[in-house]
């Protein structure tokens, strides 16, 4: 064998080894019975740790049940009427998650959140004896940039599930979990989100943002990678190397949704302003993402809850929504006018009822809360869910390529006819916080 051929074969072997090293494919069978073929048995006592890279997390308590039967995957399961967590240590990337839910003898109801309370599945019901299989995509990120730099995380981000080294799933309601598969996938369109506290994955109740609700409205084929953070402007997002991080991992055909304005309007430098630094920076985001073959989408800022004497939502964002619209027109990119849609949403609810979309809660609604919460910028889960619907409506209206991946149960939504907040239900996660997110 000549030297060149030997080098070629060695290179192929090394490449294949690298592919195998990057391949992640877990199959778990839950419950005390015999494990299904090629599945890892997960007992109620299987806990995540530094030594065991998968298991129940955060002191979760579940009951193991063995119903018997020929289908080993469905024969046994774990159940709980309280929230529980399951984590798997994985590297950065997009992951296909497939769940087998149901119980041979009892009904079940399941809502699934991933990482920092991203809504993935909503109210999946099974009857006694029924099992359903549901799949979704979870993006896992880290702070490392390929050139050796790192994202400049805020102190509050250092403990967030969004930035740790594992994929965590939260199961709510009355979950009956029989099986779980997690596999790394490379064929997803990734939608990156750049924004502030109205977009970020809020980790604690009762805070929420549209960026953490929107995964629920997409089928496999699209992964939502939320890089937003509370308190940020276009400038501080870029300055903390978050745009660099996105550009380092995005691929041609991916999307970048850009929503800023609330915090930018507080910048008072000589070169600051809607038609100055804000416009210039937004054009930079657009042009840099276009350079890698990506598709930028500009999203105008959500309206604040502020009603005028005429009983209608008034603009508190100055020229910033208009500046964003102009950039979209000049740069010939899609625009989702969330500023207009959220105003319609609040007007439809009315001045008093619109509080139901924001963090407005009487004292003692949450542990150690001795004073009322009254925030007219930041949303609760209901408000975030309705605004995510507005974004999905915008995706359809703009005829973006990812529209074909919107779930089949998404009806035609009209912000002027929002869901009734008294009927809409949300299973709260265990952790809550009284600390207001950065920014206003």
């Amino acid at each position: 064998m000549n030297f060149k051929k030997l080098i070629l074969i060695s290179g192929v072997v090394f490449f294949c080894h690298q592919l195998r090293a990057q391949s992640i494919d877990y199959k778990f069978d839950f419950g005390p019975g015999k494990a299904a073929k090629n599945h890892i048995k997960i007992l109620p006592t299987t806990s995540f740790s530094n030594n065991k890279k998968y298991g129940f997390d955060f002191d979760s308590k579940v009951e193991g049940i063995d119903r018997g039967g020929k289908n080993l995957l469905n024969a046994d399961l774990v159940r709980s009427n309280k929230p529980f967590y399951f984590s798997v240590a994985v590297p950065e990337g997009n992951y296909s998650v497939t769940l087998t839910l149901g119980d041979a003898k009892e009904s079940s109801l399941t809502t699934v959140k991933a990482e920092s309370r991203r809504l993935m599945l909503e109210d999946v019901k099974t009857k006694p004896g029924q099992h359903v299989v549901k799949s979704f995509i979870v993006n896992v990120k880290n702070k490392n940039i390929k050139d050796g730099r790192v994202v400049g995380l805020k102190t509050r981000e250092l403990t967030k599930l969004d930035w740790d080294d594992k994929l965590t799933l939260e199961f709510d309601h009355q979950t009956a979990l029989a099986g779980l598969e997690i596999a790394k996938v490379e064929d997803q369109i990734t939608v990156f989100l750049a924004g502030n506290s109205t977009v970020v994955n809020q980790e604690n109740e009762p805070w929420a943002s549209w960026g953490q609700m929107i995964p629920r409205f997409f089928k496999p084929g699209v992964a939502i990678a939320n890089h937003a953070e509370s308190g940020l402007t276009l400038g501080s997002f870029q300055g903390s190397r978050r745009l660099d991080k996105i550009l380092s991992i995005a691929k041609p055909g991916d999307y970048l949704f850009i929503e800023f304005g609330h915090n930018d309007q507080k910048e008072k430098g000589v070169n600051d302003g809607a038609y100055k630094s804000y416009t210039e920076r937004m054009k930079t985001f657009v042009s840099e993402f276009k350079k890698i073959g990506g598709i930028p989408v500009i999203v105008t800022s959500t309206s604040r809850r502020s009603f005028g004497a005429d009983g209608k939502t008034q603009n508190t964002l100055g020229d910033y929504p208009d500046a964003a619209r102009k950039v979209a027109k000049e740069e010939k990119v899609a625009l989702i006018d969330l500023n207009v849609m959220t105003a319609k949403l609040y007007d439809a609810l009315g001045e008093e009822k619109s509080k139901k979309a924001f963090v407005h809660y009487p004292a003692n609604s949450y542990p150690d809360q001795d004073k009322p919460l009254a925030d007219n910028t930041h949303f609760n889960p209901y408000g975030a869910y309705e605004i995510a619907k507005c974004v999905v409506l915008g995706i359809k209206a703009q005829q973006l390529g990812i529209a074909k991946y919107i779930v089949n149960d998404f009806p035609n939504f009209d912000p002027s006819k929002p869901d009734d907040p008294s009927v809409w239900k949300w299973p709260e996660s265990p952790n809550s916080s009284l600390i207001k997110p950065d920014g206003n």
Side-chain angles (χ1 to χ4, degrees):
M1 181 180 296
N2 63 43
F3 182 72
K4 288 185 177 180
K5 185 176 290 187
L6 179 61
I7 292 294
L8 178 61
I9 293 173
S10 298
V12 171
V13 170
F14 176 78
F15 178 70
C16 291
H17 173 75
Q18 290 297 100
L19 283 178
R20 286 195 298 271
Q22 290 296 313
S23 177
I24 305 292
D25 191 356
Y26 284 103
K27 295 181 179 181
F28 300 108
D29 185 348
F30 291 82
K34 185 179 178 181
K37 186 178 180 180
N38 299 324
H39 283 63
I40 300 170
K41 172 56 58 182
I42 301 296
L43 298 170
T45 54
T46 304
S47 298
F48 184 91
S49 68
N50 291 331
N51 295 324
K52 186 178 286 295
K53 299 300 183 179
Y54 53 81
F56 295 105
D57 215 346
F58 309 113
D59 298 318
S60 296
K61 306 297 181 186
V62 297
E63 177 188 7
I65 300 171
D66 187 2
R67 300 295 192 194
K70 295 180 180 180
N71 188 329
L72 293 180
L73 184 61
N74 298 345
D76 56 344
L77 64 144
V78 294
R79 288 195 68 115
S80 180
N81 293 329
K82 295 182 178 180
F84 66 90
Y85 297 86
F86 189 83
S87 295
V88 182
V90 296
E92 183 174 63
N94 293 325
Y95 290 85
S96 172
V97 177
T98 301
L99 303 174
T100 301
L101 302 166
D103 186 339
K105 292 189 177 181
E106 297 183 30
S107 60
S108 72
L109 175 64
T110 304
T111 287
V112 180
K113 304 166 196 167
E115 303 287 85
S116 294
R117 291 170 67 236
R118 302 180 217 163
L119 182 60
M120 311 308 296
L121 293 179
E122 180 184 14
D123 292 351
V124 179
K125 300 176 182 178
T126 66
K127 300 175 182 179
Q130 179 189 17
H131 289 84
V132 298
V133 177
K134 293 288 185 179
S135 296
F136 51 85
I137 304 296
V138 178
N139 174 266
V140 175
K141 65 187 179 187
N142 63 38
K143 63 181 180 180
N144 299 319
I145 304 174
K146 291 179 180 178
D147 58 9
R149 294 178 300 157
V150 297
V151 176
L153 299 180
K154 293 186 175 186
T155 301
R156 66 180 292 275
E157 295 180 89
L158 298 177
T159 56
K160 284 189 69 172
L161 300 184
D162 271 346
W163 289 107
D164 64 13
D165 57 357
K166 56 188 177 183
L167 192 167
T168 299
L169 300 174
E170 175 189 331
F171 296 88
D172 297 307
H173 288 312
Q174 300 86 42
T175 299
L177 176 61
L180 165 63
E181 295 185 24
I182 295 177
K184 193 174 185 183
V185 288
E186 306 292 346
D187 59 348
Q188 304 297 295
I189 298 170
T190 303
V191 178
F192 294 91
L193 306 183
N196 53 32
S197 58
T198 65
V199 186
V200 69
N201 298 324
Q202 300 285 3
E203 190 153 77
N204 298 308
E205 304 288 351
W207 315 92
S209 298
W210 69 258
Q212 69 194 100
M213 297 295 180
I214 202 167
R216 175 258 185 266
F217 297 104
F218 282 97
K219 298 179 286 189
V222 167
I224 305 296
N226 195 344
H227 286 252
E229 177 50 35
S230 298
L232 296 186
T233 64
L234 281 162
S236 57
F237 189 96
Q238 191 173 9
S240 55
R241 299 175 291 282
R242 295 169 199 266
L243 179 59
D244 290 339
K245 169 64 179 182
I246 291 172
L247 295 174
S248 74
I249 55 177
K251 62 186 184 300
D254 286 344
Y255 287 73
L256 175 63
F257 282 42
I258 310 162
E259 189 215 308
F260 289 92
H262 290 85
N263 303 305
D264 304 72
Q265 71 174 151
K266 293 181 289 186
E267 296 180 329
K268 301 301 181 183
V270 64
N271 293 317
D272 290 322
Y275 301 115
K276 293 183 179 180
S277 63
Y278 179 80
T279 291
E280 293 165 3
R281 288 166 178 161
M282 187 165 284
K283 286 184 176 181
T284 297
F285 276 56
V286 169
S287 62
E288 291 299 310
F289 201 69
K290 280 183 176 180
K291 285 179 183 177
I292 64 167
I295 304 167
V297 177
I298 292 177
V299 183
T300 56
S301 299
T302 54
S303 296
R304 294 187 180 94
R305 181 183 167 275
S306 178
F307 285 82
D310 60 355
K312 300 294 184 181
T313 301
Q314 58 186 358
N315 176 32
T316 65
L317 286 151
D319 292 328
Y320 286 84
D322 181 64
R325 296 180 191 113
K326 287 186 175 180
V327 172
K329 184 177 181 180
E330 291 173 4
E331 299 298 316
K332 296 180 173 58
V333 298
L335 174 77
I336 296 177
D337 206 336
L338 204 51
N339 185 261
V340 169
M341 286 192 279
T342 50
K344 288 181 180 179
L345 176 69
Y346 310 157
D347 288 348
L349 290 168
E351 186 169 359
E352 185 62 30
K353 198 173 181 180
S354 60
K355 292 179 181 178
K356 299 293 184 181
F358 289 82
V359 178
H360 275 257
Y361 293 91
N364 302 312
S365 297
Y366 292 92
D368 302 318
Q369 182 205 346
D370 58 357
K371 298 178 181 178
L373 291 172
D375 189 313
N376 293 312
T377 299
H378 298 107
F379 311 106
N380 62 14
Y382 164 75
Y385 187 91
E386 296 300 287
I387 294 169
K389 281 189 169 183
C390 291
V391 176
V392 176
L393 177 64
I395 291 170
K396 295 177 71 173
Q398 290 292 318
Q399 299 181 338
L400 300 181
I402 54 173
K404 65 182 180 181
Y405 295 102
I406 295 171
V407 293
N408 296 329
D409 66 351
F410 180 79
N412 291 325
F413 180 69
D414 183 350
S416 299
K417 298 177 181 178
D419 296 319
D420 185 347
S422 66
V423 175
W424 191 85
K425 302 298 180 185
W426 169 261
E428 290 199 329
S429 299
N431 296 324
S432 62
S433 174
L434 305 181
I435 300 175
K436 183 178 180 178
D438 294 343
N440 188 6

